[in-house]
Amino acid sequence: RLQCAMAYHHFAHPEEMTKTLVSFVKPGGSLLVVDLISNEKKEEIVSEEHKKTVPHAAGFDEDKMKAMFTAAGLSGFEMGILLRDVPIHVYKITNFLARGVKPQ
């Protein structure tokens, strides 16, 4: 199993990073990703000073994560809330845990 926690929102091209991460997963293994879940309004949740280093400041929704995992060759996609309303700086964030399995 390969894990990536709280980094996806910093990746300029998370689709490509997903493919790269999957290349390290053994057949039958899983990729686990923890990151920011988008709220209904897709509001950015980082300060102005951090926006230049956070290309996905609104986080990701389930459809986006599933599309990235599927495009990278993963199956059995699952995603759920991990932690709700975690105080970070002046914001409260909600984290998700997403999982996909590399076929055997």
Side-chain angles (χ1 to χ4, degrees):
R1 142 182 79 190
L2 182 65
Q3 304 165 5
C4 183
M6 295 305 294
Y8 260 55
H9 62 281
H10 289 281
F11 299 147
H13 305 286
E15 299 84 0
E16 293 305 314
M17 182 56 71
T18 303
K19 290 175 184 175
T20 299
L21 291 172
V22 169
S23 73
F24 292 99
V25 177
K26 293 179 181 178
S30 298
L31 173 63
L32 302 173
V33 173
V34 174
D35 214 289
L36 308 171
I37 195 163
S38 296
N39 62 29
E40 299 80 35
K41 298 177 185 177
K42 307 283 188 222
E43 296 171 312
E44 294 186 344
I45 53 174
V46 298
S47 65
E48 284 298 321
E49 67 181 293
H50 291 107
K51 284 186 181 180
K52 53 188 154 228
T53 61
V54 183
H56 300 281
F60 301 93
D61 62 20
E62 187 167 351
D63 290 339
K64 178 69 173 173
M65 292 305 298
K66 184 175 184 176
M68 287 191 287
F69 275 42
T70 301
L74 297 174
S75 61
F77 179 80
E78 299 175 272
M79 183 168 154
I81 300 297
L82 184 62
L83 296 169
R84 225 178 258 290
D85 297 326
V86 178
I88 303 287
H89 305 292
V90 296
Y91 302 95
K92 286 189 177 180
I93 63 167
T94 297
N95 294 337
F96 66 82
L97 171 62
R99 176 180 177 259
V101 178
K102 189 171 186 176
Q104 299 245 10

